[in-house]
Amino acid sequence: MKDNLDSEKLKELEPVFYPRSIAVVGASPNEWKMGSQWLRGLHAVGFKGRLYGVNPSGGEVFGFKIYPNLRLVPGPVDLVIVCIPRESVLDLLDDCAAKKIKAIEFFTAGFRETGEPEWIEVEEEMVRRARRGGFRIIGPNCIGVSCPEHGIPYGPSMLLGEPGSVGYISQSGGHAGKTLEIGSTRGITFSKVASMGNGCDLGSAEFLEYLAVDPKTDIIGLYLEGPQDSRRLFDTIRVASGSKPIVVWKGGRTEAGARAAASHTGALAASASVWSGALKQAGAIEVQGLEELADTLLLFQKVGQLSRSNVGIICGLTDGGGGEAVLTGDTCAVLGVAVPPLTEKTSRRLLDLLGQVGSILCNPVDISQRSGNTQALQRTMELLAAEPQIDIIAVYENADILTKFLGKELAEAMNGIVIDFSHKQTKPVVVVLPPGSLEMERLETECRLAEAGIPVYPSMERAARAIANVTRYFRCRAKSEGV
Amino acid sequence: MKDNLDSEKLKELEPVFYPRSIAVVGASPNEWKMGSQWLRGLHAVGFKGRLYGVNPSGGEVFGFKIYPNLRLVPGPVDLVIVCIPRESVLDLLDDCAAKKIKAIEFFTAGFRETGEPEWIEVEEEMVRRARRGGFRIIGPNCIGVSCPEHGIPYGPSMLLGEPGSVGYISQSGGHAGKTLEIGSTRGITFSKVASMGNGCDLGSAEFLEYLAVDPKTDIIGLYLEGPQDSRRLFDTIRVASGSKPIVVWKGGRTEAGARAAASHTGALAASASVWSGALKQAGAIEVQGLEELADTLLLFQKVGQLSRSNVGIICGLTDGGGGEAVLTGDTCAVLGVAVPPLTEKTSRRLLDLLGQVGSILCNPVDISQRSGNTQALQRTMELLAAEPQIDIIAVYENADILTKFLGKELAEAMNGIVIDFSHKQTKPVVVVLPPGSLEMERLETECRLAEAGIPVYPSMERAARAIANVTRYFRCRAKSEGV
């Protein structure tokens, strides 16, 4: 029974994420028009279905014929992408019904979010016509969907990473885009992205229902301002969070934010604490911003199961590890991430390995007295990972002095040790790589580590928050499963 | 009377920051020895006084003659820098007395911080011998001092920025170095830096007394673990904070942090809340980490006086401004930075300028409907700055889509508008420039803005914390002055 419902849900939104053909209404012979750019993006990144341009102007763009009207497109159209002024959308919807399309997404804005009764009414009429026509609406006032596996990039940006396990639903097209941009550097990969804007028809709840049963999605991120379907949403979160982590960032929690959200997606203000309480009860992990959302999705994706957050920290890959040890110890403790003391046996072994003077032989460990010694780094990682009370290893790395004092080659060798160790998968590894003066070298290191599958954070604070979030999820899940 | 005391204090530490000659004990014919690197750094960045190497080996390094003993150095020596094993330091101190040096700094570590009674005793004996010899000790277990104006770089790193107005005292050599590295990218410039390590003789209080009267220092940053002179320190903060902002980060606030601090600088644990209370009462601005310390020093230095924190925010330099407006509004409000509504007159003018559809005409303002329109950006900045209830302008900039959608040239023109406006100094301007996919372009933009004197932050959260800290200082100061 449940399997039937699941496959029905998958089937229902299949034309949204896996359309066989797309028509871009608003593409024009002017290459710089948004619609033209959209068409170009779909073609350039390798969308595998048929593509059409539609515009009363007719003509051609990027080698695509532009049809004066949707009804004149020769083949069937599953998905329509709309970049035209709001005045023309109702007529277009009649064409859509005649063409028997499956779904339509509106980049076009200027409806409920304006607060003008006339345009709120138009938005409502859009939903009625879609119902009658038997198709679904994404948006309006959105960037629509992306499905890397099917060659659908995010909007006209041509942003399309490798397919991955994170599904992402966002009321803000900008935030979804930025999360994808961040992901492309840090190694977060996505199964599906849906920017839903005003969400007049397909809302956060329905997208979540889809992602909850989508076999390609293991982790779900949500950015919400004021969804119109919050009861259904919380019901879905409650069910889905039992099998997939759901990370939620609620925008518009303050007066200043809510004022912007009302203008942005027509969201109604709601009490932040009521939201937090409901999210917690439903089993979602609430985060407080875009960075924490990305940080948490990254750790879920790379590290997977992590039920306890006891961290073993290594500082001082070259000089300066003492202050780093204090900083990382304080930061973790304040955020509820334990930095457990080491067993006496391990401390003794560290003493043999690192020496007393200038070292810190408890946790965090300062290995700076063996600056540039790859074996000492490897041995310290092994010793920490062998401690039963440690669940995850954090390496705190200062790219500036690492490169300046050790030179590029040895700095790379040190990172090679971290990568090799992480591939052994005895315990998960994260790297903290704060910005400084040698930003090029830091960026190169970050990309190399990210490509090797290691989650990299710009500060201990952000790593610790992600660790706390991920373990909170698995702890709650174990509890509710009665484990 | 006070002026006399001030000039006495300045005179007392003059040989520390403005030595006429430096001897590096531990420099050797081996170029890669720490002492040799130190000597090279001093020479390379242009220290103007005399430089000597000292080592029983004799010989030469980087063109400098190495004297077998300090007593054999031909000229007078003001400052001695020590990079030799701890076993030899007591004998060296006798040589220092004979040579009538003024100050000595010990990179050498392995004293109080080891917890070993034998070496704690040696540290105490070092102080006694220095007293008898009439000279002062910096450290041990430190990187010592830097004075850009006098050509003294920070340790062997050759790190030496332009002279500036920030004085910085740190118990951690690593944190001081990292703050300098950050400053070199973000445009924080320093008058003096003192890494004091265990601080057995010259402690945080005495360095602070010096910076408080130093005419080259306007803003003071402090990183402390467990200073041995806290009563004197708080007294100094109380007096000095009336004329110069003092920003304090206390490390070792938690058990994990304190454990590391004890090993690092021999610091004794103290209650975090007692510290916070005492700092507040003394008029210091307490921060919670290296990032917040740098963020706050940067704003103090670039923006100066700022008594109220009402911020006017501009989002959507190209697409995606709606979510940015919600994010920035929420973030500021949560951190106690007000985002006041605009007057009706200004909102009307924004409506004329930006149009209704897709814009946000309250504060934060979303200008994305005039994507790439430099005049619209300039006019919006002017309108916000003209609002009497707004004290500071924040521009939220997404380097990824700015470059992708507008191209490099137009993106640069948009930033040119921000720079020109900031130079008019009607109201201070900060830029928020979060990381994403085009990190090279983002870094270029950050450097350009920083060179133009604009404080740049990687997130609204960090900008807002800095704004809150700076205004808190000026508010408290006005209160205590009875304004």
Side-chain angles (χ1 to χ4, degrees):
Chain A
M1 177 64 189
K2 185 179 171 300
D3 283 353
N4 280 350
L5 282 174
D6 288 1
S7 69
E8 246 173 61
K9 177 53 72 183
L10 284 176
K11 214 174 163 83
E12 202 183 336
L13 295 201
E14 194 176 286
V16 171
F17 293 107
Y18 299 95
R20 290 160 302 172
S21 51
I22 299 177
V24 181
V25 179
S28 93
N30 178 344
E31 292 188 355
W32 291 104
K33 283 280 177 191
M34 188 61 90
S36 311
Q37 289 291 317
W38 216 296
L39 199 56
R40 184 178 71 134
L42 280 160
H43 178 60
V45 306
F47 171 65
K48 285 174 192 76
R50 300 294 302 267
L51 283 171
Y52 308 100
V54 176
N55 197 312
S57 69
E60 238 188 66
V61 69
F62 300 121
F64 289 95
K65 186 172 152 68
I66 296 171
Y67 297 87
N69 185 294
L70 185 64
R71 299 178 196 232
L72 299 175
V73 168
V77 171
D78 278 351
L79 177 67
V80 173
I81 295 172
V82 187
C83 315
I84 57 171
R86 58 181 175 171
E87 286 74 14
S88 319
V89 300
L90 290 182
D91 290 343
L92 174 65
L93 289 172
D94 293 335
D95 296 342
C96 289
K99 189 69 190 170
K100 297 194 188 321
I101 70 152
K102 303 295 195 309
I104 183 166
E105 67 183 41
F106 283 97
F107 178 70
T108 304
F111 301 95
R112 175 177 304 279
E113 80 278 13
T114 62
E116 296 165 359
E118 175 193 355
W119 291 102
I120 295 174
E121 170 52 28
V122 171
E123 189 173 303
E124 284 164 6
E125 177 60 19
M126 286 159 70
V127 179
R128 284 192 292 269
R129 294 200 191 185
R131 291 271 182 280
R132 277 206 306 274
F135 57 88
R136 305 303 302 264
I137 297 178
I138 303 131
N141 183 26
C142 78
I143 314 280
V145 300
S146 166
C147 181
E149 184 193 18
H150 197 57
I152 302 183
Y154 185 65
S157 69
M158 295 203 268
L159 196 63
L160 185 88
E162 289 294 309
S165 59
V166 175
Y168 188 32
I169 305 163
S170 174
Q171 259 187 289
S172 157
H175 286 338
K178 190 67 189 175
T179 310
L180 285 164
E181 302 276 359
I182 292 170
S184 74
T185 299
R186 299 178 66 192
I188 310 169
T189 53
F190 296 84
S191 57
K192 272 101 189 166
V193 176
S195 143
M196 62 180 182
N198 298 7
C200 72
D201 174 25
L202 280 172
S204 51
E206 264 187 278
F207 279 118
L208 184 61
E209 286 164 11
Y210 176 86
L211 293 182
V213 295
D214 174 30
K216 304 294 173 76
T217 300
D218 297 329
I219 303 136
I220 299 167
L222 272 167
Y223 171 72
L224 301 168
E225 291 184 355
Q228 294 178 26
D229 50 2
S230 26
R231 178 175 291 261
R232 185 169 166 188
L233 177 69
F234 283 113
D235 287 343
T236 313
I237 293 177
R238 195 167 301 115
V239 175
S241 65
S243 56
K244 301 184 183 183
I246 300 175
V247 187
V248 182
W249 168 27
K250 168 70 172 72
R253 288 168 295 139
T254 68
E255 202 190 311
R259 199 165 60 219
S263 287
H264 182 216
T265 56
L268 298 171
S271 151
S273 60
V274 168
W275 261 90
S276 295
L279 285 172
K280 194 176 171 184
Q281 212 173 10
I285 297 300
E286 191 186 10
V287 295
Q288 302 301 326
L290 198 149
E291 293 181 337
E292 192 183 348
L293 179 61
D295 292 344
T296 304
L297 292 175
L298 176 65
L299 200 70
F300 269 121
Q301 187 170 42
K302 300 302 170 196
V303 166
Q305 175 87 27
L306 187 70
S307 311
R308 217 178 45 172
S309 66
N310 290 353
V311 62
I313 304 174
I314 300 175
C315 299
L317 263 54
T318 175
D319 258 329
E324 292 170 5
V326 181
L327 179 160
T328 50
D330 272 345
T331 305
C332 288
V334 164
L335 295 170
V337 169
V339 186
L342 303 178
T343 54
E344 219 186 291
K345 198 173 84 181
T346 298
S347 286
R348 260 204 318 275
R349 286 181 172 170
L350 285 172
L351 175 63
D352 293 343
L353 184 68
L354 307 170
Q356 172 79 68
V357 175
S359 300
I360 298 182
L361 307 168
C362 49
N363 184 18
V365 184
D366 173 10
I367 66 167
S368 52
Q369 291 308 305
R370 294 292 171 270
S371 173
N373 183 327
T374 51
Q375 280 189 313
L377 172 60
Q378 184 180 327
R379 188 73 190 118
T380 306
M381 296 188 87
E382 287 166 358
L383 284 170
L384 288 187
E387 289 274 61
Q389 81 280 25
I390 285 178
D391 307 306
I392 181 167
I393 312 281
V395 178
Y396 193 94
E397 194 174 311
N398 184 342
D400 298 333
I401 55 170
L402 200 66
T403 308
K404 281 185 187 174
F405 287 4
L406 302 186
K408 208 170 164 178
E409 206 171 311
L410 190 46
E412 280 173 6
M414 294 291 273
N415 279 297
I417 293 292
V418 176
I419 291 170
D420 289 347
F421 183 84
S422 82
H423 287 167
K424 283 186 201 144
Q425 299 187 316
T426 40
K427 298 258 167 98
V429 176
V430 303
V431 170
V432 179
L433 196 63
S437 62
L438 299 182
E439 286 296 275
M440 297 287 304
E441 286 77 0
R442 194 184 70 87
L443 189 59
E444 271 175 36
T445 306
E446 177 174 2
C447 290
R448 183 179 170 214
L449 293 167
E451 270 167 33
I454 297 177
V456 179
Y457 294 89
S459 69
M460 191 68 234
E461 186 179 335
R462 288 178 55 184
R465 269 188 218 285
I467 292 170
N469 287 338
V470 169
T471 50
R472 185 150 45 93
Y473 169 76
F474 285 106
R475 245 187 359 253
C476 292
R477 185 163 133 180
K479 218 187 209 166
S480 71
E481 284 168 355
V483 175
Chain B
M1 177 62 190
K2 185 178 173 298
D3 283 355
N4 279 349
L5 282 175
D6 287 2
S7 69
E8 243 173 62
K9 178 52 72 181
L10 284 176
K11 216 174 158 83
E12 203 183 334
L13 295 201
E14 195 177 287
V16 171
F17 291 107
Y18 299 95
R20 291 160 301 171
S21 51
I22 299 176
V24 180
V25 178
S28 92
N30 178 345
E31 292 187 355
W32 291 104
K33 283 281 177 190
M34 187 62 89
S36 310
Q37 289 291 316
W38 217 296
L39 199 57
R40 183 178 74 135
L42 280 160
H43 178 61
V45 304
F47 171 65
K48 283 172 195 76
R50 300 294 304 267
L51 284 171
Y52 307 100
V54 175
N55 197 312
S57 69
E60 239 189 64
V61 69
F62 299 120
F64 290 94
K65 185 173 151 72
I66 295 170
Y67 297 89
N69 186 295
L70 184 64
R71 301 179 196 230
L72 299 176
V73 170
V77 172
D78 279 351
L79 178 67
V80 173
I81 294 171
V82 186
C83 315
I84 57 172
R86 59 181 173 171
E87 287 73 14
S88 318
V89 299
L90 289 181
D91 291 341
L92 173 64
L93 288 171
D94 293 334
D95 295 342
C96 289
K99 189 69 189 167
K100 298 195 189 318
I101 68 150
K102 303 293 193 310
I104 183 165
E105 66 182 45
F106 284 97
F107 177 72
T108 304
F111 301 95
R112 177 177 304 278
E113 81 278 12
T114 61
E116 295 165 0
E118 176 193 356
W119 292 103
I120 295 174
E121 169 53 28
V122 170
E123 189 174 301
E124 285 164 6
E125 176 62 18
M126 286 159 70
V127 179
R128 285 192 291 268
R129 293 199 191 186
R131 290 271 182 281
R132 277 207 304 273
F135 57 89
R136 306 302 303 262
I137 297 177
I138 303 133
N141 183 26
C142 77
I143 315 281
V145 299
S146 167
C147 181
E149 184 192 18
H150 197 58
I152 302 183
Y154 185 66
S157 68
M158 293 202 269
L159 194 63
L160 185 87
E162 290 295 309
S165 59
V166 175
Y168 188 33
I169 305 163
S170 175
Q171 258 187 291
S172 156
H175 287 337
K178 190 69 189 174
T179 310
L180 286 164
E181 303 276 0
I182 292 169
S184 74
T185 299
R186 299 179 66 192
I188 310 169
T189 53
F190 296 85
S191 57
K192 272 101 189 165
V193 176
S195 143
M196 63 180 181
N198 298 7
C200 73
D201 175 24
L202 281 171
S204 50
E206 264 187 280
F207 278 118
L208 183 61
E209 286 164 9
Y210 175 85
L211 293 181
V213 294
D214 174 29
K216 304 295 173 76
T217 299
D218 298 329
I219 303 137
I220 299 166
L222 273 167
Y223 170 72
L224 301 168
E225 290 184 355
Q228 294 179 26
D229 49 2
S230 29
R231 178 177 290 261
R232 186 170 165 186
L233 176 69
F234 282 112
D235 287 342
T236 312
I237 292 177
R238 196 168 298 116
V239 175
S241 64
S243 54
K244 300 183 183 184
I246 300 174
V247 187
V248 182
W249 167 29
K250 167 70 173 73
R253 288 168 296 139
T254 66
E255 201 189 311
R259 198 167 58 219
S263 287
H264 180 215
T265 56
L268 298 171
S271 151
S273 60
V274 169
W275 261 89
S276 294
L279 285 172
K280 194 176 171 185
Q281 213 174 7
I285 298 299
E286 192 186 10
V287 295
Q288 302 301 326
L290 198 150
E291 292 182 340
E292 192 184 350
L293 179 62
D295 291 344
T296 304
L297 294 175
L298 175 65
L299 200 70
F300 269 120
Q301 187 170 42
K302 300 302 170 197
V303 166
Q305 176 86 25
L306 186 72
S307 310
R308 218 178 42 173
S309 67
N310 290 354
V311 62
I313 304 174
I314 300 176
C315 299
L317 264 54
T318 176
D319 261 327
E324 292 171 3
V326 181
L327 179 160
T328 52
D330 272 346
T331 304
C332 288
V334 165
L335 295 170
V337 169
V339 187
L342 303 179
T343 55
E344 221 187 292
K345 199 174 83 179
T346 298
S347 284
R348 262 203 319 275
R349 287 183 171 169
L350 285 172
L351 176 62
D352 293 343
L353 184 69
L354 307 171
Q356 171 79 68
V357 174
S359 299
I360 297 182
L361 306 169
C362 49
N363 185 17
V365 184
D366 173 10
I367 67 166
S368 53
Q369 290 310 304
R370 295 292 171 271
S371 172
N373 184 325
T374 52
Q375 281 188 312
L377 172 60
Q378 186 180 325
R379 188 73 190 117
T380 306
M381 295 187 87
E382 287 165 0
L383 284 170
L384 288 187
E387 289 273 62
Q389 80 280 24
I390 284 178
D391 308 307
I392 181 166
I393 312 282
V395 178
Y396 193 94
E397 194 174 312
N398 184 340
D400 299 333
I401 55 171
L402 201 66
T403 307
K404 281 186 188 176
F405 287 4
L406 304 185
K408 207 170 167 179
E409 207 171 310
L410 189 47
E412 280 173 7
M414 295 289 274
N415 279 298
I417 293 290
V418 176
I419 290 170
D420 290 347
F421 184 84
S422 83
H423 286 166
K424 285 187 201 142
Q425 299 188 317
T426 41
K427 298 256 167 99
V429 177
V430 303
V431 170
V432 180
L433 195 64
S437 62
L438 297 183
E439 286 297 275
M440 296 288 304
E441 286 78 359
R442 193 183 71 86
L443 188 59
E444 271 175 34
T445 305
E446 177 174 2
C447 290
R448 183 179 169 214
L449 293 167
E451 269 166 32
I454 297 178
V456 180
Y457 293 89
S459 69
M460 189 70 233
E461 184 179 335
R462 287 178 55 183
R465 268 187 218 285
I467 291 170
N469 288 339
V470 169
T471 51
R472 184 149 46 92
Y473 170 74
F474 285 107
R475 249 191 350 260
C476 292
R477 187 163 130 181
K479 218 186 208 167
S480 71
E481 284 167 357
V483 176

